[in-house]
Amino acid sequence: MRSSRTPLARRLAALATGALTAVGLFAAGATTAHAADTPLRTLGAAKGKVIGTAVTGSKLTGSYGDIAGSQFSSLTPGNAMKWGSVEPTQGSFNWTEADQIVAFAQAHNQQVRGHTLVWHSQNPSWLTNGSWTSAQLSSLLQNHISTEVGRYKGKIAAWDVVNEPFNEDGTYRSTLWYNGLGSGYIANALTWAHAADPDAKLYINDYNVEGVNSKSTALYNLVKSLKQQGVPIDGVGLQAHLILGQVPSTLQQNIQRFADLGVDVAITELDVRMALPADSTKLAQQAADFKSVVAACVAVTRCVNVTVWGFTDSDSWVPSTFPGYGAATPYDENYSPKPAYYGIAEALGGSGTTPPPTNGACTATYSVTSQWNTGFTGQVKIACAGASLSSWKASWTYGAGQQITQAWNAGCTQSGSAVTCANASYNGSVPDGGSVTFGFNASWSGSNPVPTVTLS
Ligand code: XIL
């Protein structure tokens, strides 16, 4: 299947998989953004780079699954392999989502980055609330690592064994592990992971270690000393949760110094957050930021993988973690590639696919939010990026006798099967980077297919 789909093809695919949503497009420029003809994973392979994304297992169908499977050559479970996810109650395991992601990756010829084995966050409460001797803590950790790494032996290309061990000043973070076991927990965790899967590449992963600074220098010194001691350490992960316009100028130099130490480097969690709302200037800066991060990796042979932390704004940790910020990923919430997507493609040598930066569009997304035996509630979200509206009209044709009974935040009329909804007095204006949503109740019987919405 071609990875890059036209809006029509995407809509058909969404219908074929039963997704109750459809997108209508109103282009402000001559053309709208289409995914590059050559998928990112293919462009990456030509440069010797694996291109990955974090994913949520339950979403791997429809357009989300199509993009995850076709554009990327590596998947990282966003949460599914964390201790709190896999062993919520001591001794009782839940591997469902992790297994699903691994199976999806195998079906799509993708690597999996295991994430993560030893961390201070997202641990089960039985573990964090327990009181353990250091011998008990050590054996809990060893069992956890042996069990999880052992389960996926041969299926995981790389493990983020230790996550976020440092403070900003380069001292060790005070955690369950450091406080209970001392800094030796890091070497032990790597050694246990290696014993459970000798072929997996083993990483230490952290944030704010992208540029040369106190924290990345502490990581550098740790890796150097682990290597001197013969501890199995294969790579460092630079998370790269970045802020718009703030790619560190020493990124490439920093990647290079780790490579010179004899370890691989991966950009493991790349996103570039911006203060909302997004607008075309910010989206262009974001494209430049993604491009320069990927270019820094391309410039260093031992930089082996660039992974984005969610490929769509609809599946990003940013809005809930950094209030007021968002739009941090390469695809918008409707799965259209943003300028950032083309920034990545360009850094990987893709050409001729970048839409002009002034090009923008407003889209209308119809979805059924709840449905019962005779009726349903629906909504239409009108969102603009790189374009704006001062008034709008959304029209569609019902294919199965549906009848609107009531609408809010728009004035809707229906004549036969033709529905037209115009803005209310207070929500005609949709700014660049903004959106409005209106809702309605309607009746249905037999079937309730999703119509195509035209915006005018
Ligand atoms: C985040 C997930 O994306 C969220 O869904 C979850 O609520 C919190 O964790 N550094 C990491 C990742 O190593 O595991 C974190 O993932 C983001 C920061």
Side-chain angles (χ1 to χ4, degrees):
M1 187 187 305
R2 263 169 64 92
S3 56
S4 47
R5 303 175 138 191
T6 61
L8 177 62
R10 271 204 304 272
R11 199 179 303 136
L12 290 172
L15 288 173
T17 54
L20 290 176
T21 186
V23 181
L25 206 58
F26 172 79
T31 54
T32 51
H34 292 274
D37 283 336
T38 309
L40 299 180
R41 63 186 287 172
T42 309
L43 295 173
K47 298 278 183 193
K49 310 296 167 186
V50 173
I51 307 298
T53 180
V55 290
T56 303
S58 60
K59 299 183 179 175
L60 285 169
T61 60
S63 304
Y64 183 101
D66 286 345
I67 296 171
S70 61
Q71 292 286 334
F72 299 95
S73 43
S74 173
L75 301 183
T76 303
N79 290 300
M81 289 186 173
K82 292 171 181 173
W83 199 334
S85 301
V86 301
E87 196 184 5
T89 305
Q90 189 171 13
S92 129
F93 295 90
N94 182 351
W95 304 107
T96 313
E97 190 190 349
D99 284 356
Q100 183 199 349
I101 293 169
V102 170
F104 184 97
Q106 291 185 332
H108 293 81
N109 193 22
Q110 296 169 306
Q111 293 186 359
V112 178
R113 285 191 66 88
H115 177 83
T116 180
L117 298 167
V118 194
W119 194 22
H120 61 273
S121 188
Q122 293 184 274
N123 286 316
S125 52
W126 63 262
L127 175 66
T128 51
N129 294 340
S131 74
W132 315 103
T133 64
S134 32
Q136 287 171 323
L137 203 54
S138 180
S139 96
L140 282 166
L141 184 58
Q142 180 172 10
N143 280 336
H144 169 62
I145 291 174
S146 312
T147 303
E148 181 152 2
V149 177
R151 179 180 181 88
Y152 296 110
K153 182 174 189 286
K155 299 179 176 174
I156 304 285
W159 271 105
D160 290 332
V161 176
V162 179
N163 202 30
E164 303 179 348
F166 289 111
N167 293 316
E168 297 305 291
D169 66 0
T171 56
Y172 284 109
R173 186 192 286 266
S174 158
T175 69
L176 175 66
W177 309 114
Y178 181 72
N179 299 342
L181 302 171
S183 64
Y185 82 89
I186 296 175
N188 282 337
L190 290 161
T191 304
W192 294 328
H194 183 68
D197 186 352
D199 294 330
K201 300 287 185 201
L202 305 181
Y203 280 65
I204 301 174
N205 189 50
D206 215 326
Y207 65 93
N208 289 351
V209 292
E210 294 74 30
V212 174
N213 58 35
S214 310
K215 194 174 186 179
S216 64
T217 299
L219 178 60
Y220 179 89
N221 289 331
L222 171 63
V223 170
K224 189 173 177 182
S225 120
L226 291 170
K227 281 194 75 81
Q228 278 163 358
Q229 295 165 61
V231 174
I233 174 73
D234 299 294
V236 295
L238 316 181
Q239 292 186 5
H241 293 294
L242 302 176
I243 298 171
L244 190 70
Q246 296 185 27
V247 177
S249 58
T250 51
L251 174 61
Q252 187 181 321
Q253 178 195 339
N254 192 43
I255 294 173
Q256 187 68 56
R257 72 169 171 160
F258 281 104
D260 293 344
L261 207 48
V263 290
D264 291 340
V265 178
I267 308 292
T268 50
E269 306 184 14
L270 176 59
D271 53 22
V272 179
R273 62 186 180 268
M274 61 183 73
L276 295 172
D279 62 30
S280 48
T281 308
K282 293 179 193 176
L283 293 172
Q285 177 65 53
Q286 186 184 47
D289 292 345
F290 270 93
K291 184 176 176 178
S292 70
V293 172
V294 176
C297 184
V298 167
V300 181
T301 309
R302 287 203 80 147
C303 184
V304 295
N305 179 310
V306 179
T307 287
V308 295
W309 203 246
F311 64 84
T312 158
D313 291 339
S314 68
D315 186 44
S316 167
W317 74 311
V318 167
S320 59
T321 311
F322 304 97
Y325 284 78
T329 79
Y331 284 80
D332 71 15
E333 296 186 348
N334 298 317
Y335 304 123
S336 291
K338 292 158 57 180
Y341 172 92
Y342 299 100
I344 298 171
E346 279 179 17
L348 295 172
S351 63
T353 53
T354 310
T358 53
N359 213 30
C362 299
T363 56
T365 307
Y366 176 110
S367 46
V368 173
T369 53
S370 70
Q371 181 169 299
W372 55 98
N373 51 354
T374 56
F376 66 99
T377 300
Q379 69 171 37
V380 173
K381 179 177 181 179
I382 298 168
C384 295
S388 61
L389 297 170
S390 54
S391 67
W392 47 263
K393 218 182 253 183
S395 318
W396 64 88
T397 304
Y398 273 134
Q402 299 100 318
Q403 179 70 44
I404 302 260
T405 53
Q406 182 192 13
W408 51 95
N409 298 331
C412 294
T413 55
Q414 181 166 357
S415 151
S417 59
V419 178
T420 301
C421 297
N423 61 272
S425 59
Y426 51 86
N427 65 359
S429 136
V430 187
D432 183 359
S435 67
V436 302
T437 301
F438 67 90
F440 53 87
N441 287 331
S443 61
W444 71 288
S445 68
S447 70
N448 187 15
V450 170
T452 302
V453 179
T454 306
L455 205 52
S456 58

